[in-house]
mmCIF file of all heavy atoms in Angstrom:
data_model
loop_
_atom_site.group_PDB
_atom_site.id
_atom_site.type_symbol
_atom_site.label_atom_id
_atom_site.label_comp_id
_atom_site.label_asym_id
_atom_site.label_seq_id
_atom_site.Cartn_x
_atom_site.Cartn_y
_atom_site.Cartn_z
ATOM 1 N N VAL A 1 73.560 -131.746 -173.275
ATOM 2 C CA VAL A 1 73.820 -133.168 -173.250
ATOM 3 C C VAL A 1 74.538 -133.579 -174.542
ATOM 4 O O VAL A 1 75.566 -134.275 -174.542
ATOM 5 C CB VAL A 1 72.554 -133.982 -173.045
ATOM 6 C CG1 VAL A 1 72.826 -135.479 -173.233
ATOM 7 C CG2 VAL A 1 71.979 -133.727 -171.691
ATOM 8 N N SER A 2 74.063 -133.129 -175.705
ATOM 9 C CA SER A 2 74.601 -133.558 -176.966
ATOM 10 C C SER A 2 76.016 -133.103 -177.173
ATOM 11 O O SER A 2 76.836 -133.812 -177.797
ATOM 12 C CB SER A 2 73.725 -133.058 -178.132
ATOM 13 O OG SER A 2 73.831 -131.639 -178.275
ATOM 14 N N ARG A 3 76.385 -131.906 -176.640
ATOM 15 C CA ARG A 3 77.738 -131.431 -176.872
ATOM 16 C C ARG A 3 78.803 -132.228 -176.093
ATOM 17 O O ARG A 3 79.991 -132.049 -176.320
ATOM 18 C CB ARG A 3 77.843 -129.976 -176.504
ATOM 19 C CG ARG A 3 77.761 -129.631 -175.044
ATOM 20 C CD ARG A 3 77.881 -128.195 -174.743
ATOM 21 N NE ARG A 3 77.869 -127.935 -173.323
ATOM 22 C CZ ARG A 3 78.040 -126.721 -172.750
ATOM 23 N NH1 ARG A 3 78.184 -125.656 -173.543
ATOM 24 N NH2 ARG A 3 78.028 -126.564 -171.482
ATOM 25 N N THR A 4 78.392 -133.042 -175.143
ATOM 26 C CA THR A 4 79.339 -133.836 -174.372
ATOM 27 C C THR A 4 79.726 -135.122 -175.030
ATOM 28 O O THR A 4 80.632 -135.784 -174.549
ATOM 29 C CB THR A 4 78.788 -134.147 -172.966
ATOM 30 O OG1 THR A 4 77.692 -135.054 -173.101
ATOM 31 C CG2 THR A 4 78.315 -132.879 -172.212
ATOM 32 N N LEU A 5 78.984 -135.527 -176.074
ATOM 33 C CA LEU A 5 79.235 -136.800 -176.691
ATOM 34 C C LEU A 5 80.626 -136.860 -177.297
ATOM 35 O O LEU A 5 81.004 -136.005 -178.084
ATOM 36 C CB LEU A 5 78.183 -137.124 -177.743
ATOM 37 C CG LEU A 5 76.727 -137.258 -177.244
ATOM 38 C CD1 LEU A 5 75.782 -137.417 -178.382
ATOM 39 C CD2 LEU A 5 76.618 -138.460 -176.269
ATOM 40 N N ILE A 6 81.420 -137.887 -176.957
ATOM 41 C CA ILE A 6 82.716 -138.003 -177.504
ATOM 42 C C ILE A 6 82.590 -138.660 -178.898
ATOM 43 O O ILE A 6 81.548 -139.196 -179.279
ATOM 44 C CB ILE A 6 83.635 -138.889 -176.619
ATOM 45 C CG1 ILE A 6 83.162 -140.329 -176.556
ATOM 46 C CG2 ILE A 6 83.687 -138.270 -175.204
ATOM 47 C CD1 ILE A 6 84.120 -141.254 -175.877
ATOM 48 N N ALA A 7 83.687 -138.581 -179.670
ATOM 49 C CA ALA A 7 83.714 -139.183 -181.004
ATOM 50 C C ALA A 7 83.916 -140.669 -180.877
ATOM 51 O O ALA A 7 84.868 -141.167 -180.275
ATOM 52 C CB ALA A 7 84.860 -138.586 -181.800
ATOM 53 N N SER A 8 82.949 -141.439 -181.434
ATOM 54 C CA SER A 8 83.009 -142.881 -181.354
ATOM 55 C C SER A 8 82.802 -143.497 -182.717
ATOM 56 O O SER A 8 82.298 -142.825 -183.640
ATOM 57 C CB SER A 8 81.986 -143.412 -180.368
ATOM 58 O OG SER A 8 80.659 -143.247 -180.857
ATOM 59 N N LEU A 9 83.136 -144.777 -182.848
ATOM 60 C CA LEU A 9 82.960 -145.465 -184.123
ATOM 61 C C LEU A 9 82.657 -146.928 -183.849
ATOM 62 O O LEU A 9 83.056 -147.473 -182.819
ATOM 63 C CB LEU A 9 84.269 -145.354 -184.938
ATOM 64 C CG LEU A 9 84.158 -145.316 -186.458
ATOM 65 C CD1 LEU A 9 83.296 -144.140 -186.902
ATOM 66 C CD2 LEU A 9 85.569 -145.174 -187.092
ATOM 67 N N ASN A 10 82.002 -147.607 -184.726
ATOM 68 C CA ASN A 10 81.645 -149.000 -184.593
ATOM 69 C C ASN A 10 82.836 -149.915 -185.008
ATOM 70 O O ASN A 10 82.781 -150.619 -186.032
ATOM 71 C CB ASN A 10 80.415 -149.338 -185.442
ATOM 72 C CG ASN A 10 80.016 -150.785 -185.296
ATOM 73 O OD1 ASN A 10 80.263 -151.411 -184.279
ATOM 74 N ND2 ASN A 10 79.433 -151.357 -186.344
ATOM 75 N N VAL A 11 83.893 -149.825 -184.237
ATOM 76 C CA VAL A 11 85.094 -150.604 -184.478
ATOM 77 C C VAL A 11 85.650 -151.065 -183.145
ATOM 78 O O VAL A 11 85.371 -150.521 -182.088
ATOM 79 C CB VAL A 11 86.202 -149.778 -185.218
ATOM 80 C CG1 VAL A 11 85.763 -149.360 -186.570
ATOM 81 C CG2 VAL A 11 86.607 -148.545 -184.373
ATOM 82 N N GLU A 12 86.429 -152.126 -183.201
ATOM 83 C CA GLU A 12 87.057 -152.621 -181.969
ATOM 84 C C GLU A 12 88.165 -151.731 -181.544
ATOM 85 O O GLU A 12 88.979 -151.305 -182.379
ATOM 86 C CB GLU A 12 87.572 -154.054 -182.195
ATOM 87 C CG GLU A 12 88.067 -154.743 -180.905
ATOM 88 C CD GLU A 12 88.524 -156.159 -181.192
ATOM 89 O OE1 GLU A 12 87.629 -157.015 -181.197
ATOM 90 O OE2 GLU A 12 89.724 -156.335 -181.364
ATOM 91 N N GLY A 13 88.258 -151.355 -180.293
ATOM 92 C CA GLY A 13 89.329 -150.448 -179.804
ATOM 93 C C GLY A 13 88.737 -149.341 -179.017
ATOM 94 O O GLY A 13 87.579 -149.324 -178.569
ATOM 95 N N ASP A 14 89.581 -148.282 -178.793
ATOM 96 C CA ASP A 14 89.188 -147.225 -177.885
ATOM 97 C C ASP A 14 88.201 -146.214 -178.498
ATOM 98 O O ASP A 14 87.747 -145.305 -177.845
ATOM 99 C CB ASP A 14 90.422 -146.447 -177.374
ATOM 100 C CG ASP A 14 91.219 -145.783 -178.493
ATOM 101 O OD1 ASP A 14 90.800 -145.943 -179.646
ATOM 102 O OD2 ASP A 14 92.231 -145.161 -178.181
ATOM 103 N N ARG A 15 87.840 -146.430 -179.775
ATOM 104 C CA ARG A 15 86.805 -145.610 -180.418
ATOM 105 C C ARG A 15 85.372 -146.210 -180.183
ATOM 106 O O ARG A 15 84.392 -145.629 -180.539
ATOM 107 C CB ARG A 15 87.037 -145.443 -181.881
ATOM 108 C CG ARG A 15 88.129 -144.454 -182.218
ATOM 109 C CD ARG A 15 87.657 -143.006 -182.162
ATOM 110 N NE ARG A 15 88.749 -142.107 -182.248
ATOM 111 C CZ ARG A 15 89.372 -141.596 -181.221
ATOM 112 N NH1 ARG A 15 88.976 -141.950 -179.990
ATOM 113 N NH2 ARG A 15 90.401 -140.781 -181.323
ATOM 114 N N GLN A 16 85.340 -147.424 -179.681
ATOM 115 C CA GLN A 16 84.041 -148.104 -179.571
ATOM 116 C C GLN A 16 83.374 -147.746 -178.219
ATOM 117 O O GLN A 16 83.930 -147.855 -177.182
ATOM 118 C CB GLN A 16 84.233 -149.630 -179.619
ATOM 119 C CG GLN A 16 82.962 -150.440 -179.717
ATOM 120 C CD GLN A 16 83.248 -151.893 -179.894
ATOM 121 O OE1 GLN A 16 84.058 -152.470 -179.202
ATOM 122 N NE2 GLN A 16 82.528 -152.542 -180.825
ATOM 123 N N VAL A 17 82.137 -147.273 -178.299
ATOM 124 C CA VAL A 17 81.328 -146.920 -177.163
ATOM 125 C C VAL A 17 79.965 -147.563 -177.312
ATOM 126 O O VAL A 17 79.092 -147.069 -178.006
ATOM 127 C CB VAL A 17 81.198 -145.431 -176.993
ATOM 128 C CG1 VAL A 17 80.302 -145.081 -175.778
ATOM 129 C CG2 VAL A 17 82.531 -144.732 -176.846
ATOM 130 N N PRO A 18 79.738 -148.699 -176.715
ATOM 131 C CA PRO A 18 78.499 -149.451 -176.902
ATOM 132 C C PRO A 18 77.244 -148.604 -176.571
ATOM 133 O O PRO A 18 76.203 -148.765 -177.223
ATOM 134 C CB PRO A 18 78.607 -150.669 -175.971
ATOM 135 C CG PRO A 18 80.094 -150.882 -175.867
ATOM 136 C CD PRO A 18 80.712 -149.537 -175.902
ATOM 137 N N LEU A 19 77.362 -147.716 -175.555
ATOM 138 C CA LEU A 19 76.206 -146.934 -175.173
ATOM 139 C C LEU A 19 75.811 -145.981 -176.317
ATOM 140 O O LEU A 19 74.595 -145.700 -176.519
ATOM 141 C CB LEU A 19 76.485 -146.129 -173.952
ATOM 142 C CG LEU A 19 75.353 -145.284 -173.342
ATOM 143 C CD1 LEU A 19 74.095 -146.182 -173.122
ATOM 144 C CD2 LEU A 19 75.766 -144.655 -172.028
ATOM 145 N N HIS A 20 76.760 -145.515 -177.125
ATOM 146 C CA HIS A 20 76.424 -144.681 -178.292
ATOM 147 C C HIS A 20 75.669 -145.490 -179.343
ATOM 148 O O HIS A 20 74.724 -145.011 -179.949
ATOM 149 C CB HIS A 20 77.684 -144.136 -178.933
ATOM 150 C CG HIS A 20 78.282 -143.009 -178.211
ATOM 151 N ND1 HIS A 20 79.352 -142.288 -178.667
ATOM 152 C CD2 HIS A 20 77.941 -142.404 -177.006
ATOM 153 C CE1 HIS A 20 79.660 -141.287 -177.815
ATOM 154 N NE2 HIS A 20 78.822 -141.390 -176.794
ATOM 155 N N ASP A 21 76.070 -146.783 -179.513
ATOM 156 C CA ASP A 21 75.365 -147.665 -180.449
ATOM 157 C C ASP A 21 73.910 -147.819 -179.944
ATOM 158 O O ASP A 21 72.963 -147.872 -180.772
ATOM 159 C CB ASP A 21 76.071 -149.006 -180.569
ATOM 160 C CG ASP A 21 77.379 -148.883 -181.329
ATOM 161 O OD1 ASP A 21 77.351 -148.295 -182.438
ATOM 162 O OD2 ASP A 21 78.417 -149.330 -180.844
ATOM 163 N N TYR A 22 73.758 -147.988 -178.653
ATOM 164 C CA TYR A 22 72.408 -148.164 -178.101
ATOM 165 C C TYR A 22 71.549 -146.935 -178.367
ATOM 166 O O TYR A 22 70.396 -147.048 -178.831
ATOM 167 C CB TYR A 22 72.493 -148.461 -176.619
ATOM 168 C CG TYR A 22 71.116 -148.631 -175.959
ATOM 169 C CD1 TYR A 22 70.424 -149.797 -176.078
ATOM 170 C CD2 TYR A 22 70.564 -147.576 -175.258
ATOM 171 C CE1 TYR A 22 69.181 -149.978 -175.499
ATOM 172 C CE2 TYR A 22 69.320 -147.737 -174.646
ATOM 173 C CZ TYR A 22 68.660 -148.909 -174.799
ATOM 174 O OH TYR A 22 67.395 -149.060 -174.251
ATOM 175 N N LEU A 23 72.107 -145.744 -178.142
ATOM 176 C CA LEU A 23 71.390 -144.489 -178.400
ATOM 177 C C LEU A 23 71.004 -144.386 -179.844
ATOM 178 O O LEU A 23 69.872 -143.969 -180.208
ATOM 179 C CB LEU A 23 72.230 -143.297 -177.985
ATOM 180 C CG LEU A 23 72.530 -143.104 -176.467
ATOM 181 C CD1 LEU A 23 73.478 -141.908 -176.287
ATOM 182 C CD2 LEU A 23 71.235 -142.901 -175.682
ATOM 183 N N GLY A 24 71.951 -144.728 -180.724
ATOM 184 C CA GLY A 24 71.671 -144.662 -182.168
ATOM 185 C C GLY A 24 70.563 -145.586 -182.557
ATOM 186 O O GLY A 24 69.707 -145.239 -183.432
ATOM 187 N N ARG A 25 70.474 -146.751 -181.964
ATOM 188 C CA ARG A 25 69.392 -147.690 -182.268
ATOM 189 C C ARG A 25 68.062 -147.232 -181.714
ATOM 190 O O ARG A 25 67.050 -147.309 -182.408
ATOM 191 C CB ARG A 25 69.762 -149.078 -181.708
ATOM 192 C CG ARG A 25 70.928 -149.755 -182.320
ATOM 193 C CD ARG A 25 70.561 -150.264 -183.745
ATOM 194 N NE ARG A 25 69.564 -151.349 -183.726
ATOM 195 C CZ ARG A 25 69.842 -152.616 -183.587
ATOM 196 N NH1 ARG A 25 71.100 -153.014 -183.506
ATOM 197 N NH2 ARG A 25 68.914 -153.493 -183.541
ATOM 198 N N VAL A 26 68.057 -146.688 -180.487
ATOM 199 C CA VAL A 26 66.842 -146.204 -179.880
ATOM 200 C C VAL A 26 66.265 -145.036 -180.704
ATOM 201 O O VAL A 26 65.073 -144.899 -180.934
ATOM 202 C CB VAL A 26 67.054 -145.763 -178.442
ATOM 203 C CG1 VAL A 26 65.856 -145.041 -177.901
ATOM 204 C CG2 VAL A 26 67.343 -146.972 -177.593
ATOM 205 N N LEU A 27 67.158 -144.148 -181.186
ATOM 206 C CA LEU A 27 66.740 -142.985 -181.968
ATOM 207 C C LEU A 27 66.421 -143.316 -183.422
ATOM 208 O O LEU A 27 65.998 -142.483 -184.174
ATOM 209 C CB LEU A 27 67.831 -141.939 -181.905
ATOM 210 C CG LEU A 27 68.024 -141.221 -180.585
ATOM 211 C CD1 LEU A 27 69.329 -140.499 -180.550
ATOM 212 C CD2 LEU A 27 66.867 -140.253 -180.332
ATOM 213 N N GLU A 28 66.706 -144.592 -183.801
ATOM 214 C CA GLU A 28 66.452 -145.061 -185.146
ATOM 215 C C GLU A 28 67.117 -144.110 -186.210
ATOM 216 O O GLU A 28 66.476 -143.694 -187.176
ATOM 217 C CB GLU A 28 64.954 -145.139 -185.435
ATOM 218 C CG GLU A 28 64.239 -146.196 -184.544
ATOM 219 C CD GLU A 28 62.777 -146.359 -184.881
ATOM 220 O OE1 GLU A 28 62.101 -145.307 -185.021
ATOM 221 O OE2 GLU A 28 62.335 -147.479 -185.006
ATOM 222 N N ILE A 29 68.374 -143.811 -185.953
ATOM 223 C CA ILE A 29 69.077 -142.900 -186.838
ATOM 224 C C ILE A 29 69.310 -143.516 -188.201
ATOM 225 O O ILE A 29 69.833 -144.632 -188.285
ATOM 226 C CB ILE A 29 70.434 -142.481 -186.227
ATOM 227 C CG1 ILE A 29 70.188 -141.658 -184.929
ATOM 228 C CG2 ILE A 29 71.236 -141.638 -187.212
ATOM 229 C CD1 ILE A 29 71.470 -141.293 -184.176
ATOM 230 N N ASP A 30 68.938 -142.852 -189.234
ATOM 231 C CA ASP A 30 69.146 -143.260 -190.609
ATOM 232 C C ASP A 30 70.475 -142.701 -191.074
ATOM 233 O O ASP A 30 70.539 -141.610 -191.595
ATOM 234 C CB ASP A 30 67.982 -142.738 -191.498
ATOM 235 C CG ASP A 30 68.107 -143.251 -192.938
ATOM 236 O OD1 ASP A 30 69.093 -143.970 -193.203
ATOM 237 O OD2 ASP A 30 67.233 -142.891 -193.750
ATOM 238 N N MET A 31 71.562 -143.497 -190.877
ATOM 239 C CA MET A 31 72.902 -142.988 -191.158
ATOM 240 C C MET A 31 73.070 -142.575 -192.598
ATOM 241 O O MET A 31 73.738 -141.600 -192.935
ATOM 242 C CB MET A 31 73.896 -144.065 -190.771
ATOM 243 C CG MET A 31 75.347 -143.617 -190.983
ATOM 244 S SD MET A 31 75.828 -142.155 -190.081
ATOM 245 C CE MET A 31 75.821 -142.773 -188.426
ATOM 246 N N ALA A 32 72.438 -143.330 -193.519
ATOM 247 C CA ALA A 32 72.571 -143.062 -194.951
ATOM 248 C C ALA A 32 71.969 -141.703 -195.336
ATOM 249 O O ALA A 32 72.408 -141.093 -196.336
ATOM 250 C CB ALA A 32 71.945 -144.159 -195.778
ATOM 251 N N ALA A 33 71.038 -141.218 -194.550
ATOM 252 C CA ALA A 33 70.434 -139.939 -194.848
ATOM 253 C C ALA A 33 71.315 -138.771 -194.407
ATOM 254 O O ALA A 33 71.147 -137.668 -194.886
ATOM 255 C CB ALA A 33 69.052 -139.834 -194.170
ATOM 256 N N TRP A 34 72.256 -139.062 -193.524
ATOM 257 C CA TRP A 34 73.089 -137.991 -192.966
ATOM 258 C C TRP A 34 74.533 -138.045 -193.420
ATOM 259 O O TRP A 34 75.273 -137.049 -193.297
ATOM 260 C CB TRP A 34 73.044 -138.038 -191.435
ATOM 261 C CG TRP A 34 71.708 -137.623 -190.933
ATOM 262 C CD1 TRP A 34 70.662 -138.426 -190.576
ATOM 263 C CD2 TRP A 34 71.253 -136.272 -190.769
ATOM 264 N NE1 TRP A 34 69.596 -137.655 -190.188
ATOM 265 C CE2 TRP A 34 69.934 -136.316 -190.296
ATOM 266 C CE3 TRP A 34 71.840 -135.051 -190.985
ATOM 267 C CZ2 TRP A 34 69.191 -135.234 -190.022
ATOM 268 C CZ3 TRP A 34 71.089 -133.901 -190.687
ATOM 269 C CH2 TRP A 34 69.791 -134.005 -190.209
ATOM 270 N N TRP A 35 74.978 -139.172 -193.922
ATOM 271 C CA TRP A 35 76.405 -139.321 -194.302
ATOM 272 C C TRP A 35 76.474 -140.243 -195.495
ATOM 273 O O TRP A 35 75.984 -141.319 -195.455
ATOM 274 C CB TRP A 35 77.208 -139.833 -193.143
ATOM 275 C CG TRP A 35 78.654 -139.918 -193.427
ATOM 276 C CD1 TRP A 35 79.617 -138.949 -193.247
ATOM 277 C CD2 TRP A 35 79.409 -141.055 -193.938
ATOM 278 N NE1 TRP A 35 80.852 -139.349 -193.626
ATOM 279 C CE2 TRP A 35 80.791 -140.688 -194.061
ATOM 280 C CE3 TRP A 35 79.055 -142.363 -194.306
ATOM 281 C CZ2 TRP A 35 81.749 -141.555 -194.527
ATOM 282 C CZ3 TRP A 35 80.049 -143.232 -194.791
ATOM 283 C CH2 TRP A 35 81.358 -142.816 -194.894
#
């Protein structure tokens, strides 16, 4: 499942995937710890 995720970003345009943002929020990803 994880290898199918496309590259997305929190910007307006074709890089924006709201479902990815939802997954990130549900998983409580600490972005600062990883990047």
Side-chain angles (χ1 to χ4, degrees):
V1 172
S2 70
R3 71 179 183 177
T4 67
L5 296 175
I6 67 171
S8 69
L9 212 59
N10 179 29
V11 296
E12 186 177 278
D14 61 0
R15 283 280 170 267
Q16 189 176 46
V17 178
L19 185 52
H20 283 185
D21 289 309
Y22 179 79
L23 292 175
R25 292 288 294 272
V26 171
L27 289 164
E28 297 183 314
I29 295 177
D30 183 0
M31 181 59 68
W34 289 98
W35 183 88

